[in-house]
Amino acid sequence: MGRATLIGFSAVAMWALLALLTDASGAVPPFLLSAITFTIGTGVGLVAWLFTPAIAGSEKIPPQVWVIGIAGLFGYHFFYFTALRNAPAVEASLIAYLWPLLIVLGSALMPGERLAWNHVVGALLGLAGTFLIVTKGGGLAFDARYAFGYAMAGVCAVLWASYSLLSRRFPSVPTSIVTWFCAATAALSLVCHLMLEETVLPVGAGQWLAVLGLGLMPVGAAFYAWDIGVKRGNIQVLGAASYAAPLLSTLVLISAGFAEPSLRIFAACVLITGGAALAAKSLFLRKRAASEAGA
C-alpha cells in the first residue's frame, strides 16, 4: 500500500508542473491544448502497453468503468474551463480544489475504509495552505454575478473526487484502461475546440516542447500514476497529500523566476506538509508496528 501511495503522489508532483508548462505553451486555447496533450497522454499509455502487454488483460471492462473514466478526465477539464470562463480565476480555482477534501471525507463510504480525525484535520490544514497559495494572502470576494462559474467549479471538484473514489471500487481493472480514457478525452476536447474556439497553434520549438512536456507528464503519466494510487494506495493520505500540488507548483514557478518567495508561501508550506504528515500518521504507525513485529 505504501508503494502505491507514493506512486499516486508522483502524480501530484507532476501536476505541479502544469502551471509552468501551460504558461510556456503560448496562446493555445484550452480545449485545443487539452486535445493535443491528451493525445500525447494516449501515446504514453500505448508505449507502456508495448513494454508490458500483460497489463492489458482480456477481462471484459464493466460499462460503468468507461462512464466513470471519461466523465472524470474529460468532465473535469470541460467544467474547469467553463468555470474559468464564467468566474474569477482565484475563486474558481479554490472551489475546484476542494476535491482532495472530498476524497478524504468520501473515503469513509468506501468498503474497507475508515475515516479518522487525523485524516479530516490533515485535509483541512491542506485546504488552509491552498487558500494562502491561491488567494496570494488576500481575501475572497464571491459575487452572485459569477454564481454559474462557481457552480461549474464545484462540479469539477465533485467529478474528480468521484472519479478517484469510484475507481477504487474496480481494483481488478488494469491501469492500461486510462489510455482509452485519455483518447476519448482528446477526441471530445477536439470537438469542443472546433465548436467553441479559434485555432491557435504553438509557435516555435520552445512552445511545442512545453506542450510535449504537458502531454508526457501532467496530462499523461500523472493519470496512470494516480490510477495506481487511488486503487491500491491509502486513499485518505493521498487525498490530503494532494494539497501539495499548488504549493509545489508555486515553488516550481519561484525556481523558474516567475514568482517571488514570501512568508505566505512558507506558512502554506508548513500547513500543507503538516497536514499531509498528520493524515499519514496511521500509515507511519502501521509501518513501524510491522517493522517491530518483523524484528
Side-chain angles (χ1 to χ4, degrees):
M1 178 178 284
R3 180 173 178 271
T5 304
L6 287 175
I7 292 174
F9 185 73
S10 73
V12 177
M14 284 185 272
W15 287 330
L17 298 172
L18 190 61
L20 179 65
L21 293 175
T22 300
D23 183 70
S25 66
V28 183
F31 283 115
L32 178 57
L33 185 61
S34 178
I36 296 172
T37 53
F38 271 103
T39 298
I40 298 171
T42 302
V44 171
L46 291 174
V47 170
W49 181 84
L50 289 175
F51 286 99
T52 53
I55 64 173
S58 57
E59 183 180 348
K60 186 177 180 181
I61 305 298
Q64 57 266 40
V65 170
W66 293 103
V67 175
I68 293 167
I70 296 172
L73 268 65
F74 173 73
Y76 175 86
H77 290 84
F78 177 85
F79 286 105
Y80 184 70
F81 294 150
T82 303
L84 291 184
R85 289 174 184 269
N86 292 277
V90 170
E91 287 82 358
S93 296
L94 189 62
I95 294 171
Y97 220 81
L98 288 172
W99 64 262
L101 180 62
L102 295 179
I103 286 177
V104 173
L105 297 178
S107 66
L109 304 175
M110 303 298 290
E113 300 291 349
R114 183 177 64 86
L115 187 64
W117 68 270
N118 57 297
H119 298 134
V120 177
V121 175
L124 291 174
L125 287 174
L127 179 60
T130 301
F131 182 89
L132 286 177
I133 292 290
V134 174
T135 63
K136 299 181 179 178
L140 292 176
F142 290 108
D143 191 324
R145 291 178 299 169
Y146 304 120
F148 177 74
Y150 298 152
M152 296 299 95
V155 172
C156 284
V158 172
L159 272 176
W160 191 252
S162 299
Y163 165 73
S164 301
L165 290 167
L166 292 174
S167 293
R168 192 173 180 85
R169 299 183 69 94
F170 299 94
S172 62
V173 173
T175 293
S176 59
I177 192 67
V178 176
T179 305
W180 309 115
F181 298 161
C182 287
T185 300
L188 292 170
S189 296
L190 180 60
V191 171
C192 288
H193 164 66
L194 295 174
M195 293 175 60
L196 302 171
E197 300 173 334
E198 292 185 6
T199 300
V200 179
L201 293 172
V203 178
Q207 291 187 8
W208 277 109
L209 284 174
V211 171
L212 178 62
L214 280 168
L216 290 176
M217 290 184 287
V219 192
F223 292 114
Y224 300 92
W226 185 252
D227 186 77
I228 293 171
V230 296
K231 284 179 178 176
R232 302 179 181 87
N234 187 309
I235 192 74
Q236 293 99 347
V237 172
L238 198 53
S242 295
Y243 277 116
L247 173 63
L248 293 174
S249 179
T250 302
L251 294 177
V252 168
L253 291 172
I254 289 174
S255 300
F258 290 97
E260 295 292 331
S262 67
L263 184 61
R264 168 181 57 84
I265 293 174
F266 175 76
C269 182
V270 171
L271 286 169
I272 292 173
T273 55
L278 182 61
K281 178 175 72 73
S282 56
L283 185 62
F284 295 148
L285 292 176
R286 191 181 305 128
K287 282 188 174 182
R288 181 179 177 183
S291 177
E292 291 176 349

